[in-house]
């Protein structure tokens, strides 16, 4: 069986020798070589062109200060009776629509000592090619030869025999590709001692306190619009944590909504963000269909890049969404009106102007039925150890009990 190598070796690779090599490679969690490598990669990524802010954000996440914080957090999970060790070989299946997510899961897995095989989508993108180019250049340095031996980034077509071989040999399978991908991969059994982390289709939204927003200074309102741009417009709203609904809480919600999206449109224009004609047309058709279905009471098209649909109710809300700058809008009197709305599919809630006590009360009222992350506006795409209800530091390591 042959796969196409991307990093560190480019070209056809025999699968069995590749798996044999990876199966024997692992490290002590956060050993100095790994920290040195990730720090060097961080610096290389931070030099990416400004038109790729998601790559610069990845570099910022991987800086030494962040890695040191993860190191301390992992150490806190163990004690004199609980020793933390790597799981072994991690098989990553990232989504095609979020170009850099595979780097986050791979780097965290590497830092805790695992060897890793990442299957990239056959769909190429400038972002992936840029990241892989910088990564290959770094792994070619003699000082990082051991790291290069512990990673393979590959591509291959829909070959069940290859997927079965990888699934049967890995110690951890991480599937990021949505419900259909998760279902397809589960047809391939894992070794009885292996485990799977699956990240299916998700829906995310934002909640804004109407009065606190209206009382904010023009400078803060502009800052919030810029933060929301980072949440929503990177990956054209295709990320699992990209907001597609904005809820305004309080009696003056309609006025706050108008002002918020006017400020947001100004940021879109200032950043010269453009939506291609195909996505703009799909968004328009979706809006007309939503109006015909009676799902909305107002439609506002601020530009080709930004449209809002004000819903009549969140009851039986349809989470289908075309992305590319379309936002559902809802006006609620109180935050707890979200309780019957939330489902298992809901992942991230970005917030502004809502007290921590109210957010905590919402979480308690939901009792685990949905929403895995509540973060301030501007942090929806910020990756950390807690994702989709998992603590990745714990999931990527094994705990060995010693008495």
């Amino acid at each position: 069986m042959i796969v196409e190598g991307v990093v560190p070796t480019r070209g056809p690779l025999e699968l069995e020798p590749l798996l044999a090599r990876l199966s024997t490679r692992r490290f002590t969690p956060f050993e100095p070589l790994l920290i040195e490598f990730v720090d060097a990669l961080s610096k290389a990524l931070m030099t990416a062109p400004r038109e790729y802010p998601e790559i610069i954000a990845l570099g910022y996440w991987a800086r030494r200060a962040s890695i040191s914080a993860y190191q301390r957090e992992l150490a806190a999970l163990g004690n004199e009776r609980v020793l933390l060790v790597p799981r072994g070989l991690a098989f990553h299946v990232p989504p095609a629509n979020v170009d850099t997510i595979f780097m986050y899961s791979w780097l965290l897995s590497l830092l805790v000592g695992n060897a890793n095989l990442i299957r990239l989508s056959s769909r190429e993108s400038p972002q992936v090619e840029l990241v892989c180019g910088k990564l290959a250049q770094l792994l070619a340095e003699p000082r990082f030869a051991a790291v290069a031996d512990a990673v393979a980034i590959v591509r291959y077509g829909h070959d069940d025999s290859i997927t079965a071989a990888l699934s049967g040999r890995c110690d951890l399978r991480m599937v990021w590709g949505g419900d259909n991908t998760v279902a397809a991969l589960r047809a391939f059994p894992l070794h009885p001692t292996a485990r799977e982390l699956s990240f299916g289709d998700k829906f995310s939204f934002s909640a804004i306190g109407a009065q606190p927003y209206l009382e904010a200074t023009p400078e803060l309102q502009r800052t919030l619009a810029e933060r929301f741009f980072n949440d929503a417009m990177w990956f054209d709203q295709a990320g699992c944590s990209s907001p597609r609904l904005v809820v305004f809480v309080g009696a003056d919600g309609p006025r706050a909504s108008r002002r918020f999206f006017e400020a947001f449109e100004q940021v879109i224009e200032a950043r010269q963000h453009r939506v291609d004609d195909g996505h703009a047309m799909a968004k328009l058709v979706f809006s007309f269909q939503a109006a015909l279905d009676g799902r909305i009471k107002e439609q506002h098209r601020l530009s080709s890049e930004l449209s809002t649909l004000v819903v009549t109710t969140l009851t039986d809300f349809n989470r289908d969404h075309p992305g590319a700058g379309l936002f559902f809008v809802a006006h609620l009197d109180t935050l707890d009106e979200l309780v019957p709305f939330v489902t298992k599919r809901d992942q991230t809630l970005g917030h502004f102007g809502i007290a921590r006590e109210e957010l905590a009360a919402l979480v308690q009222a939901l009792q685990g039925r949905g929403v895995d992350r509540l973060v301030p506006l501007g942090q929806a795409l910020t990756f950390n150890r807690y994702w989709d209800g998992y603590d990745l530091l714990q999931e990527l390591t094994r705990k060995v009990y010693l008495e």
Side-chain angles (χ1 to χ4, degrees):
M1 290 180 283
I2 303 292
V3 295
E4 186 69 21
V6 178
V7 175
T9 303
R10 186 171 287 275
L13 295 172
E14 287 277 357
L15 184 62
E16 187 54 40
L18 175 61
L19 285 173
R21 168 170 64 83
L22 292 172
S23 297
T24 62
R25 298 293 194 270
R26 54 185 79 183
F27 302 92
T28 301
F30 288 93
E31 67 177 74
L33 175 64
L34 302 179
I35 295 175
E36 181 185 357
F37 169 74
V38 176
D39 181 57
L41 180 61
S42 170
K43 292 173 181 174
L45 295 173
M46 294 282 277
T47 65
R50 293 185 63 184
E51 61 262 35
Y52 300 128
E54 65 271 40
I55 297 178
I56 297 172
L58 170 62
Y60 184 79
W61 173 84
R63 70 197 190 283
R64 187 177 288 267
S66 297
I67 301 313
S68 296
Y70 280 125
Q71 184 178 16
R72 292 190 297 271
E73 290 174 18
L74 183 69
L77 295 176
N79 54 55
E80 61 181 10
R81 292 187 177 183
V82 177
L83 306 180
L84 300 170
V85 298
R87 286 199 172 273
L89 174 60
F91 173 31
H92 305 253
V93 184
N97 59 354
V98 182
D99 300 301
T100 56
I101 191 66
F102 76 94
M103 290 293 292
Y104 290 99
S105 64
W106 166 56
L107 289 176
L108 201 55
S109 179
L110 172 68
L111 283 164
V112 299
N114 294 310
N116 297 271
L117 187 144
I118 302 101
R119 181 201 175 180
L120 292 184
S121 164
S122 58
R123 190 188 78 178
E124 297 184 4
S125 74
Q127 292 91 332
V128 170
E129 296 308 307
L130 192 154
V131 168
C132 286
K134 289 182 178 292
L135 183 55
Q137 187 176 13
L138 201 59
L139 289 172
E141 296 184 18
R143 59 178 172 150
F144 296 131
V147 180
D149 275 346
V151 61
I153 299 177
V154 304
R155 287 189 171 101
Y156 65 89
H158 294 286
D159 190 318
D160 289 353
S161 62
I162 295 176
T163 301
L166 293 172
S167 297
R169 293 281 290 276
C170 71
D171 300 290
L172 175 70
R173 185 167 64 190
M174 299 184 70
V175 186
W176 295 83
D179 291 355
N180 292 336
T181 302
V182 170
L185 265 290
R186 284 184 175 168
F188 302 97
L190 296 167
H191 188 275
T193 61
R195 67 189 310 167
E196 177 179 89
L197 304 184
S198 58
F199 304 87
D201 293 327
K202 293 291 183 177
F203 184 89
S204 294
F205 57 99
S206 299
I208 296 173
Q211 197 59 37
Y213 177 78
L214 291 170
E215 292 174 354
T217 65
E219 291 77 17
L220 178 54
Q221 290 181 356
R222 169 76 180 197
T223 297
L224 291 170
E226 291 172 342
R227 291 174 181 171
F228 189 73
F229 180 95
N230 296 340
D231 283 349
M233 307 310 280
W234 290 4
F235 314 119
D236 284 331
Q237 280 184 290
C240 58
S241 52
S242 304
R244 298 165 187 174
L245 162 71
V246 185
V247 174
F248 291 86
V249 182
D252 219 353
R255 187 159 67 97
S257 171
R258 287 192 297 272
R259 188 173 298 178
F260 178 81
F261 283 106
E262 287 169 359
F264 185 45
E265 169 58 22
Q266 292 173 7
V267 170
I268 290 174
E269 187 60 35
R271 296 201 184 185
Q272 299 182 335
H273 178 80
R274 294 293 177 263
V275 172
D276 65 54
D277 292 343
H279 283 113
M281 182 58 68
K283 187 166 58 177
L284 195 61
V285 171
F286 181 92
S287 299
F288 289 153
Q289 187 61 56
L292 289 172
D293 292 343
R295 297 165 53 192
I296 62 173
K297 62 180 179 181
E298 295 176 28
Q299 176 180 350
H300 303 281
R301 186 173 183 272
L302 285 79
S303 66
S304 294
E305 285 66 44
L306 177 60
S307 297
T308 63
L309 303 177
V310 182
V311 299
T312 55
T313 177
L314 289 178
T315 302
D316 298 324
F317 181 84
N318 187 331
R319 285 164 171 76
D320 292 342
H321 194 278
L326 179 74
F327 297 89
F328 289 108
V329 176
H331 300 123
L332 305 180
D333 293 328
T334 60
L335 190 68
D336 59 11
E337 293 177 56
L338 286 173
V339 172
F341 161 75
V342 170
T343 71
K344 291 180 180 179
R345 186 176 171 183
D346 296 322
Q347 187 214 58
T348 297
L349 190 163
H351 58 83
F352 170 79
I354 298 174
R356 179 181 179 85
E357 293 75 17
E358 292 181 74
L359 296 169
L362 174 65
V363 172
Q364 294 299 327
L366 290 171
Q367 296 182 326
R369 291 196 301 273
V371 178
D372 301 310
R373 307 169 63 235
L374 297 89
V375 298
L377 287 191
Q379 296 183 26
L381 300 180
T382 301
F383 190 83
N384 65 30
R385 63 185 274 196
Y386 301 105
W387 204 265
D388 276 17
Y390 296 117
D391 179 349
L392 294 180
L393 280 181
Q394 296 213 46
E395 300 290 348
L396 289 164
T397 54
R398 293 184 62 195
K399 291 183 175 181
V400 178
Y401 181 74
L402 172 62
E403 177 130 15

